[in-house]
Amino acid sequence: MGTFLRFALTLSLLFCMAQGKLLFYDFVVKETPIKMLCETNRTILTVNGLFPGSEIRARKGDTIYVNVTNIGPYGITIHWHGVRQIRYPWSDGPEFITQCPIPSNSSFLQKIVLTKEEGTLWWHAHSDWSRATIHSPLIIMPAYGKMYPYKFDQEHTIVINTKAIIDEALETGGDTDLFVAYTINGQPGDSYSCSNGLAYNKTVVCGKTYLFRIIHSGMNEEMFFGIAMHNLIVVGMDRAYQKPLNTNYLMITPGQTMDVLVTANQNPGRYYMVFSPFVNTNAPSNKNTPVLIELPGFTNKSDAGNFTIQLRSLNSKEHPSKVPTKITRNITIAVSVNQQPCPANKTCLGPGNTTMHSARSLNNISFSAPSVSILQAYYNNINGVYNRTFPDQPPTLFDFTGNVSALGEAANVTTEVLKIDYNDEVEIRFQGTNFGAAENHPMHLHGYSFYVVGIGDGNFSETDISKYNTVNPPYVNTVRLPKNGWAAIRFKANNPGVWFMHCHLERHSSWGMDAVLIVRDGKKKPQKVRPPPKDMPPCSVSSS
């Protein structure tokens, strides 16, 4: 499949060269033994035997082809997190949404179309919990001949990860184990006895400025991040430039990326880069102990919120903000941690012998994935795969963040889609609820970036609209919905196709905190979904 296909693609797609280059990568998904993560006898799924996987670098306007060969034990999919994939959802990746998994011992050539993306993104598996070990950076530099809107001397990429275990939780309906290990670029920190001096470190030169591309690939925990004795200047987030924000810490959720400038302006020495799981850990005692930083505590809701509300788009001449202001579709989505009754003749580990499996919901719908791809069913007009009745509003209005003990917590487990017309100007208001163990939710939308025009605590009120930022709100693909709070986003529905929307906490997405948006074709040919490739993975082959 390799040489001939690549030659043919080069001949037939030369017209793309005017905007950018064609880049080719080979990914081999396989099981690989590792001697990190504080375990010596663990085998994990990797791409090309690496953890994290192979980094991809491209420029704005390039087109990337990745031949994914799966020689692992079960089906796999790969998602290009934050890439809009204009009119081409076929390579977006979420299993049973835009494709069926790539079966063992087979390949799928994925096409990644870069248009307006510029900055730090990442790619990861999008089937079950396999993204825990299958992920890596996707770095998109400015277009050929263009410059960054800020200056730096050198850049480094930092991938943070929290590897959790899901098998027992899926079986019992309880919550997941917290973690096997926290890692930075695949290495545990000094606070782990097994690190053996292999903790990630970088040598910097006094007086120089460094761009750190930070990717939160972790499964279930939001993180504070800081560097001892150094300020951070946030200049980018989720592949879009931000108005520079000077801060001494970051709040970053699973799925998010941040571009941060750091100037090495302290005395020569060793300074810890710390994510919040390391805050309460004693540093090793030696003659050259790194300087430790104290980050906000795990329960410090005010500092988490204060960081988020300070973010602004760059909104410059070359990178303008284009916030939709003529809203034609207004949607409110209640985000809930439901609890389902335990099945008969089974012991469950959820509260009161309930199960938390398939018990997270959006508008009281706990998403159930079909056995065939929703995109393929939509494109080929196959009936019976999904329903078209996802509501624009919560089915029942109540005090979302108040006392909900008198209300039933069970959700409807079903496969629903939300249909949106092409070119609609959409506002979605995510409303957190007080069901179960209320917490923050990083909500991610495929196929789009969006403007976060408002965020706040408690129940959303129409009076909050007057406080919206429609001038320079952050332009992101993942928004942090506060615990018992709300977040309002806006985007123009100008990318037709089937797009997944979900919480990026894996335990929540696995248990139904998902929805599918279908943006209908426009009337003109350039407004319609492109045809599928011929090598789409078959849906008739078992993924297990």
Side-chain angles (χ1 to χ4, degrees):
M1 182 175 178
T3 305
F4 175 78
L5 179 57
R6 294 183 184 194
F7 180 69
L9 285 169
T10 303
L11 290 178
S12 62
L13 294 177
L14 283 176
F15 67 88
C16 293
M17 297 292 285
Q19 291 185 327
K21 292 184 177 180
L22 300 181
L23 305 175
F24 297 91
Y25 289 83
D26 285 306
F27 279 11
V28 178
V29 178
K30 61 182 180 179
E31 289 188 313
T32 303
I34 60 167
K35 294 182 179 180
M36 60 181 71
L37 303 184
C38 299
E39 297 182 345
T40 57
N41 297 312
R42 177 171 289 274
T43 298
I44 62 173
L45 272 183
T46 67
V47 165
N48 298 339
L50 302 174
F51 175 71
S54 300
E55 179 179 289
I56 289 179
R57 280 188 169 259
R59 288 190 177 273
K60 181 179 180 180
D62 286 347
T63 299
I64 305 167
Y65 287 90
V66 180
N67 187 41
V68 182
T69 300
N70 180 20
I71 59 174
Y74 45 82
I76 202 76
T77 67
I78 304 292
H79 168 54
W80 317 94
H81 185 111
V83 178
R84 292 192 64 193
Q85 296 284 48
I86 300 295
R87 298 176 51 215
Y88 198 76
W90 304 103
S91 286
D92 190 48
E95 66 175 352
F96 302 117
I97 308 301
T98 61
Q99 69 172 86
C100 290
I102 305 167
S104 296
N105 301 312
S106 63
S107 298
F108 177 37
L109 184 68
Q110 294 192 249
K111 176 182 176 182
I112 300 94
V113 183
L114 302 179
T115 50
K116 296 182 179 180
E117 295 85 359
E118 183 175 343
T120 303
L121 292 176
W122 61 303
W123 59 262
H124 60 81
H126 214 304
S127 42
D128 292 327
W129 281 45
S130 51
R131 78 171 172 88
T133 58
I134 299 182
H135 59 258
S136 201
L138 171 56
I139 308 301
I140 306 170
M141 298 172 288
Y144 298 92
K146 298 291 184 178
M147 303 293 290
Y148 290 96
Y150 47 79
K151 294 182 179 180
F152 58 94
D153 296 297
Q154 200 175 65
E155 67 175 90
H156 303 291
T157 302
I158 297 176
V159 180
I160 63 172
N161 179 267
T162 53
K163 175 68 174 74
I165 302 298
I166 184 61
D167 297 342
E168 182 179 350
L170 290 177
E171 174 64 24
T172 63
D175 216 337
T176 59
D177 291 345
L178 290 179
F179 59 87
V180 171
Y182 294 97
T183 69
I184 297 179
N185 287 358
Q187 296 292 343
D190 283 350
S191 54
Y192 290 98
S193 61
C194 62
S195 65
N196 298 323
L198 296 177
Y200 174 77
N201 66 85
K202 277 295 175 185
T203 300
V204 296
V205 177
C206 186
K208 290 195 174 183
T209 298
Y210 297 83
L211 170 64
F212 284 92
R213 301 179 182 272
I214 301 173
I215 300 168
H216 191 341
S217 68
M219 303 297 283
N220 292 308
E221 292 84 15
E222 296 180 311
M223 295 281 191
F224 289 109
F225 170 76
I227 301 177
M229 304 288 291
H230 288 78
N231 273 5
L232 314 173
I233 301 177
V234 182
V235 293
M237 186 173 174
D238 285 2
R239 74 85 172 162
Y241 296 120
Q242 301 288 315
K243 181 179 180 181
L245 171 63
N246 197 325
T247 178
N248 58 5
Y249 70 93
L250 307 180
M251 160 53 69
I252 185 167
T253 72
Q256 287 183 329
T257 67
M258 293 187 184
D259 294 340
V260 178
L261 297 179
V262 180
T263 299
N265 54 10
Q266 299 299 309
N267 294 327
R270 299 175 67 217
Y271 298 88
Y272 264 128
M273 294 183 289
V274 177
F275 290 90
S276 57
F278 297 105
V279 169
N280 293 321
T281 302
N282 294 325
S285 179
N286 55 53
K287 293 182 180 179
N288 192 14
T289 301
V291 178
L292 196 59
I293 180 175
E294 183 177 351
L295 291 173
F298 284 114
T299 59
N300 195 326
K301 182 178 179 180
S302 62
D303 278 1
N306 288 340
F307 175 81
T308 303
I309 63 175
Q310 294 180 79
L311 295 167
R312 299 286 185 272
S313 289
L314 183 59
N315 195 21
S316 65
K317 183 178 180 180
E318 285 208 7
H319 305 281
S321 295
K322 297 180 180 180
V323 185
T325 56
K326 298 178 181 179
I327 301 302
T328 57
R329 188 72 179 275
N330 210 314
I331 300 164
T332 298
I333 298 179
V335 182
S336 301
V337 178
N338 304 82
Q339 294 168 357
Q340 304 293 85
C342 188
N345 302 318
K346 188 174 182 180
T347 300
C348 295
L349 298 182
N353 196 36
T354 58
T355 174
M356 291 185 286
H357 175 58
S358 294
R360 308 302 198 246
S361 73
L362 300 177
N363 278 352
N364 208 44
I365 293 172
S366 187
F367 181 78
S368 176
S371 58
V372 299
S373 157
I374 290 179
L375 172 60
Q376 288 167 292
Y378 168 69
Y379 190 83
N380 295 305
N381 296 310
I382 300 173
N383 293 322
V385 175
Y386 57 84
N387 301 314
R388 301 168 175 82
T389 53
F390 189 96
D392 278 13
Q393 306 292 325
T396 303
L397 297 179
F398 56 95
D399 182 0
F400 296 108
T401 59
N403 186 345
V404 297
S405 59
L407 300 174
E409 296 187 41
N412 297 318
V413 181
T414 182
T415 306
E416 304 282 349
V417 304
L418 176 63
K419 286 202 168 184
I420 295 174
D421 288 336
Y422 185 84
N423 263 348
D424 263 351
E425 296 198 1
V426 182
E427 177 170 324
I428 297 179
R429 298 167 187 168
F430 295 107
Q431 175 64 63
T433 69
N434 202 27
F435 283 117
E439 58 183 300
N440 298 338
H441 301 284
M443 301 304 299
H444 173 53
L445 176 60
H446 293 219
Y448 289 88
S449 285
F450 48 77
Y451 293 97
V452 182
V453 293
I455 192 166
D457 293 324
N459 295 329
F460 177 85
S461 168
E462 292 296 320
T463 60
D464 291 316
I465 297 175
S466 63
K467 304 172 188 175
Y468 279 3
N469 175 8
T470 57
V471 177
N472 60 352
Y475 188 54
V476 297
N477 59 60
T478 305
V479 60
R480 176 184 168 273
L481 172 63
K483 174 182 177 180
N484 283 333
W486 60 271
I489 69 171
R490 289 183 177 183
F491 62 94
K492 188 168 185 177
N494 54 8
N495 187 16
V498 172
W499 307 110
F500 202 30
M501 180 173 66
H502 61 96
C503 178
H504 223 281
L505 302 182
E506 203 69 14
R507 66 182 185 271
H508 290 179
S509 182
S510 296
W511 291 328
M513 194 174 279
D514 319 305
V516 171
L517 274 59
I518 294 182
V519 178
R520 296 181 176 93
D521 284 345
K523 295 180 179 179
K524 300 178 181 178
K525 186 176 180 179
Q527 300 172 341
K528 299 180 185 296
V529 173
R530 292 187 174 99
K534 294 181 179 180
D535 64 338
M536 286 296 295
C539 291
S540 58
V541 177
S542 173
S543 63
S544 60

